Amino acid sequence: MAFRTANFAVRRMMTTSAVRSADMSFTFAAPNAVLYNKAVVKQVDVPSFSGSFGILPSHVASLAVLKPGVVTVYEEEGATKKFFVSSGSITINDDSSVQILAEEAHPVEDLDPAAAKEALAAAQAAVNAAGADETAKAEAMIAVEVGEALVAAANRSEEHTSELQSPL
């Protein structure tokens, strides 16, 4: 037991003391588009089921599951881009590369608040219509969670757009 613990500690020191890249290679894809392909970015903020968190170069290697919400990408040139994701996975590697594979990903500025509200209302109606069918109810509840996050993202985008357009 002591040998196994010592061996683990040595391996842990070797992985944490290795020289890591100061750049973060970022790949972000969904079935509808490849949004970033090995692009160098400063930071990525993600919503996950274990909590929202930011990813910087040299982040500890991790795997996480995306929850519905907004992924924010801070590009090397200073631009910030936001994308709504419905679900997916995040992989953070030892070499400072990060991959996000999303079920759906759309720029937040492309979201239509009225359509998002309609999708949420339809999902809520599906929950009520599911009755005793537990599978249908579970699927509808997932759609409600996505719909709520979609409405929140669309409303934030609309507020941001109106702030940019209003005179000082």
Side-chain angles (χ1 to χ4, degrees):
M1 179 68 176
F3 175 73
R4 192 176 326 159
T5 303
N7 189 19
F8 174 76
V10 169
R11 280 188 286 136
R12 179 78 177 146
M13 279 191 334
M14 289 171 50
T15 60
T16 59
S17 63
V19 176
R20 293 185 170 187
S21 173
D23 290 334
M24 182 167 58
S25 173
F26 179 58
T27 301
F28 182 13
N32 60 317
V34 175
L35 302 162
Y36 291 87
N37 187 10
K38 298 181 181 175
V40 175
V41 299
K42 289 181 183 177
Q43 179 177 340
V44 180
D45 294 342
V46 296
S48 82
F49 282 104
S50 56
S52 295
F53 62 97
I55 305 166
L56 295 166
S58 300
H59 191 286
V60 64
S62 304
L63 294 173
V65 178
L66 284 171
K67 75 174 192 175
V70 175
V71 170
T72 305
V73 180
Y74 299 89
E75 296 180 343
E76 194 69 19
E77 307 80 42
T80 301
K81 295 194 177 168
K82 295 180 182 239
F83 302 89
F84 175 80
V85 294
S86 61
S87 63
S89 64
I90 308 155
T91 305
I92 306 168
N93 302 298
D94 279 333
D95 65 357
S96 286
S97 64
V98 176
Q99 295 81 35
I100 294 180
L101 301 174
E103 287 288 324
E104 289 182 78
H106 302 280
V108 169
E109 66 267 13
D110 292 350
L111 300 178
D112 177 1
K117 289 175 187 168
E118 287 176 24
L120 176 57
Q124 291 168 331
V127 169
N128 294 332
D133 183 350
E134 292 299 319
T135 302
K137 187 173 250 176
E139 290 172 353
M141 291 300 295
I142 292 169
V144 166
E145 182 178 10
V146 172
E148 289 171 344
L150 186 59
V151 167
N155 287 340
R156 275 189 298 229
S157 174
E158 188 176 59
E159 290 168 7
H160 178 70
T161 302
S162 64
E163 286 173 6
L164 293 175
Q165 293 173 348
S166 67
L168 294 176

